[in-house]
Amino acid sequence: MSELSPNWLIARQSARFVLRERTVALLATLFVTLVLISAWLGWSATSTVDRIYVDAAAFLKASGQPVPTNPVLEISPLSLMRNMSVYVALIGALSAIVIGNRLVSIDRKAGVLPLIGIRPLGRSAYADGKIAALLGVVLGLIAIAGVMAVATFLVLPSVTLSGGQWLQLAGFLGVSALYMTCFGLVGLAFAARAKSETVALLVPVTLWLTLTFILPQLTANLNPTAAINPISALATPPDTSFFHWAGWLLGPLSLADAYKFASANLLDYLPQGMASPSFIPPVANIVLLTAAAACTAWRALSRIEMTQGDYDA
Amino acid sequence: MPDFNPIRTIAIKDIHDTLRDRFILIVTAFLGLAATVALVSGAIALRGDLATYEAAKATLLAIGKSVDGIKAPEFYPLRLLRGAIEQIEIIGAAVAILVGYRAAAAERGRQTLALILTRPLRNWQFVAGKMLAGFGLLAAGLAVVLVGLALVLHLTSGVGIGANDLARIAIVWGVALIYTSCFFLLGFVLTLHMKQPSHALLAAFAVWLLLVLIAPQIGDTLDPDNQVAGGVFAQLHIAKPDQTEIMKRFASFESLRNGIEVASVTKHFERFTFAILGIKATYAGMAIGPILTEMWSNLFWILLTALGLACLALALPLNPNRLAKA
């Protein structure tokens, strides 16, 4: 039997240990449940609008007014999953931060870093293993979400997706995996670098809060509760030079904005003529920021002090 | 009569500890930054709307047409606080969880909890002292943020704010204190009683996520008018009275939607503060008294949640196995 590489061993052991953690299991279960709810939400809301249209059309006809076209007919079936983008941005990102944090903090709290340090491993083996474990767990979560999304589209009788739309769904799942990985990598980096366990968790959470609720206000005057509604989040920004400049300058840093535009485009609910204010296209923006997070995490993990034990507080 | 001296001593010691490590200053500054960004970006957007209106008005007047066709932007200074209130609703609750977590975890981290409990001090007095300190810190933090917002509002709105506006902001401060106390108590109780403080923090954040973001989000998403860009009724050109008539046929759907929303203490806070500040159009310009009467049930639910959690914190016996750092 061929011997497993140290990187692979670290990745496998880390993923197994982190999945045994109750908090990780709780957040992962919450994420999967919400993905299921998002399918129901999309279906329920769309069918209600359809019934409202039927009532409104009857009312307009009776009062002799012209009847506009049914807005539901203009909605792509893919947009039924629009709420999933919100849940990836909320619970998915938070779960990824926790997974990244626990992947390293388990070792630090158990005091096994010195033991790993005395093994004949390359300097990058620990970093590669942890990043691979994070990728594995995030991809696992996204795969479960994907299976649920596919099952929803197959079960709903009036919904049929074309080949291109199935590809768009796959693209959306890929972008969601990247988005979650980016936050997971930040969680890994701070779990490796921070002296305090609380700081290791709170800095990535603060970053997530800033990206999700503060930057969209500067780039598009988007209030926090609007930012978590997939339709309201795509309101046109005020037509002032401040928001044009803020969108252009802060857009490349505004990961949540990039994910919002990328998912709206892939799930066919981006209003016509609307585009990200950033000078970098949304998907490229997410790829670049994830790559930057990967470099930061790899650097922090490969320089981790193997003689250190538990956090200070 | 119960002895309140130990409670005061614990509270003063906890406030001193918190101020010394600058934790509360950092989180208050973060909340203040988030709320100020919301206020300033809202003010800039409103100025943009005013400039667009003035330009359109000037164009119409120049060509000799009536300006009745264009709607002037409505201006109520307190409405600019919408984004800031939403930041208190979300980030303020998260900050309160951190304050609660810190109040319990600090003693466990320093292994001083067992030591404190060897003193002639009842468990409830220790918990009450910690709670008093937490409420005091939240009250001061929210006061700093809201006073700062009132100042920025006064300077940026162009018309200034009067005594009535200040009274409304003071009411919002009081309700925000009770609201954030719910999350302080959540973080505090979980951290004091769960085996691992870091797991308690994560569990508190999971509850925060459900109550503050997910439940209101589901309710908001189920709103038919939020399904189509610009609103379904606006797209169908249906007037407001006719909308109400049509929506009567969807009463059970609306009840379900409202039920999901009001399951969250956050929605009660939002409804109350939006009414008091006139952010919701139907309450703009209404006197405080009638709003308080109408919004009483929302305040009642926020109070009930805080009281329930406070009673739980005082009633749960301290487990000696949870006294040290896990």
Side-chain angles (χ1 to χ4, degrees):
Chain A
M1 200 175 100
S2 64
E3 206 174 293
L4 290 171
S5 73
N7 307 21
W8 173 243
L9 270 174
I10 290 172
R12 196 179 64 171
Q13 178 270 348
S14 303
R16 273 186 187 167
F17 270 53
V18 89
L19 288 172
R20 278 190 215 158
E21 290 262 310
R22 264 191 245 167
T23 41
V24 171
L26 171 79
L27 287 168
T29 309
L30 205 58
F31 174 68
V32 171
T33 310
L34 285 170
V35 167
L36 202 59
I37 289 175
S38 72
W40 172 77
L41 278 174
W43 171 80
S44 171
T46 307
S47 60
T48 305
V49 170
D50 192 35
R51 284 188 290 135
I52 286 175
Y53 173 78
V54 172
D55 280 15
F59 170 82
L60 289 168
K61 260 186 197 165
S63 56
Q65 295 175 61
V67 181
T69 51
N70 187 348
V72 169
L73 298 177
E74 292 160 18
I75 298 173
S76 158
L78 266 179
S79 71
L80 282 180
M81 296 305 292
R82 59 188 175 268
N83 282 290
M84 192 172 148
S85 66
V86 172
Y87 297 138
V88 167
L90 296 179
I91 187 97
L94 195 63
S95 305
I97 288 173
V98 173
I99 291 165
N101 174 276
R102 303 310 292 175
L103 277 169
V104 177
S105 64
I106 289 174
D107 287 354
R108 285 185 68 171
K109 286 178 77 70
V112 297
L113 281 184
L115 288 174
I116 297 171
I118 57 166
R119 306 298 301 169
L121 302 172
R123 196 164 170 75
S124 67
Y126 188 74
D128 294 342
K130 291 292 173 183
I131 292 173
L134 173 76
L135 275 175
V137 178
V138 168
L139 286 175
L141 278 176
I142 286 291
I144 296 170
V147 167
M148 285 183 173
V150 170
T152 305
F153 284 121
L154 293 177
V155 165
L156 288 178
S158 55
V159 176
T160 325
L161 296 190
S162 66
Q165 286 174 321
W166 283 114
L167 279 176
Q168 279 177 251
L169 180 65
F172 165 70
L173 292 169
V175 168
S176 300
L178 266 181
Y179 187 76
M180 284 171 64
T181 304
C182 187
F183 282 101
L185 289 164
V186 176
L188 270 179
F190 279 93
R193 293 286 295 171
K195 287 187 177 140
S196 148
E197 189 184 10
T198 313
V199 170
L201 194 59
L202 291 187
V203 174
V205 170
T206 307
L207 185 71
W208 169 71
L209 284 171
T210 306
L211 290 172
T212 311
F213 298 115
I214 301 180
L215 279 191
Q217 284 206 296
L218 283 170
T219 55
N221 189 35
L222 204 61
N223 284 327
T225 51
I228 55 175
N229 181 312
I231 301 294
S232 314
L234 294 166
T236 314
D239 189 16
T240 67
S241 56
F242 173 83
F243 288 106
H244 292 162
W245 277 104
W248 195 80
L249 287 171
L250 295 174
L253 297 174
S254 191
L255 184 61
D257 270 337
Y259 178 67
K260 175 182 80 181
F261 280 104
S263 48
N265 195 23
L266 286 162
L267 292 180
D268 282 344
Y269 64 91
L270 186 68
Q272 264 194 338
M274 176 162 261
S276 162
S278 168
F279 61 88
I280 304 176
V283 176
N285 205 342
I286 297 170
V287 171
L288 282 175
L289 288 173
T290 308
C295 292
T296 312
W298 192 87
R299 192 180 149 91
L301 287 164
S302 59
R303 291 180 179 207
I304 195 168
E305 189 55 68
M306 284 298 186
T307 54
Q308 73 181 345
D310 196 358
Y311 294 98
D312 293 345
Chain B
M1 196 182 135
D3 182 7
F4 292 107
N5 273 341
I7 299 174
R8 203 177 55 199
T9 309
I10 292 280
I12 291 170
K13 177 218 166 262
D14 212 48
I15 289 171
H16 279 164
D17 283 356
T18 312
L19 293 176
R20 200 167 37 229
D21 70 8
R22 288 183 297 170
F23 167 77
I24 194 75
L25 299 178
I26 294 167
V27 292
T28 305
F30 180 62
L31 176 62
L33 174 78
T36 310
V37 164
L39 173 58
V40 172
S41 62
I44 293 170
L46 184 70
R47 281 187 183 213
D49 288 349
L50 280 170
T52 309
Y53 169 73
E54 291 299 337
K57 195 171 142 187
T59 309
L60 285 174
L61 290 173
I63 58 173
K65 288 197 169 177
S66 163
V67 291
D68 296 344
I70 51 169
K71 195 180 165 213
E74 288 180 334
F75 183 61
Y76 294 98
L78 292 183
R79 276 196 185 172
L80 287 174
L81 288 174
R82 181 187 179 139
I85 293 297
E86 290 186 8
Q87 294 290 15
I88 291 173
E89 184 179 308
I90 296 172
I91 297 179
V95 164
I97 286 177
L98 296 178
V99 176
Y101 162 80
R102 195 215 145 274
E107 304 296 350
R108 288 180 66 168
R110 290 196 289 261
Q111 318 281 358
T112 48
L113 187 51
L115 197 65
I116 291 172
L117 294 180
T118 59
R119 309 295 301 162
L121 171 81
R122 291 178 183 278
N123 286 358
W124 74 265
Q125 289 175 320
F126 167 76
V127 174
K130 287 276 181 183
M131 281 163 49
L132 191 63
F135 298 155
L137 289 166
L138 287 175
L142 285 168
V144 168
V145 170
L146 284 168
V147 166
L149 287 173
L151 272 173
V152 175
L153 190 61
H154 185 74
L155 296 172
T156 57
S157 67
V159 292
I161 50 174
N164 184 272
D165 297 328
L166 286 175
R168 286 171 195 262
I169 292 173
I171 292 171
V172 167
W173 170 78
V175 180
L177 174 60
I178 305 169
Y179 167 73
T180 50
S181 295
C182 298
F183 291 92
F184 163 82
L185 289 164
L186 175 73
F188 179 64
V189 170
L190 288 175
T191 313
L192 206 56
H193 295 280
M194 277 179 74
K195 192 176 174 187
Q196 299 245 19
S198 58
H199 287 191
L201 181 62
L202 290 175
F205 268 119
V207 177
W208 168 81
L209 207 61
L210 279 174
L211 290 182
V212 177
L213 299 174
I214 306 291
Q217 194 272 341
I218 291 177
D220 192 45
T221 301
L222 282 176
D223 187 344
D225 222 20
N226 284 340
Q227 297 312 307
V228 179
V232 63
F233 289 112
Q235 202 169 100
L236 295 173
H237 310 295
I238 306 274
K240 188 77 187 170
D242 302 327
Q243 289 175 24
T244 316
E245 196 56 39
I246 289 171
M247 285 312 288
K248 275 183 187 164
R249 284 165 230 166
F250 296 89
S252 51
F253 179 83
E254 278 297 284
S255 302
L256 171 73
R257 190 178 79 78
N258 187 54
I260 294 170
E261 279 193 350
V262 297
S264 159
V265 66
T266 303
K267 207 64 198 177
H268 291 291
F269 173 71
E270 186 180 293
R271 287 181 181 177
F272 185 90
T273 49
F274 278 20
I276 281 288
L277 297 174
I279 293 167
K280 193 166 167 60
T282 42
Y283 297 97
M286 197 191 272
I288 294 175
I291 295 177
L292 286 177
T293 311
E294 201 176 318
M295 288 287 130
W296 168 246
S297 64
N298 289 298
L299 184 58
F300 173 75
W301 281 110
I302 303 169
L303 263 172
L304 199 69
T305 311
L307 273 176
L309 285 164
C311 290
L312 187 71
L314 289 168
L316 282 175
L318 287 179
N319 184 347
N321 295 327
R322 300 279 188 269
L323 296 185
K325 185 182 178 185

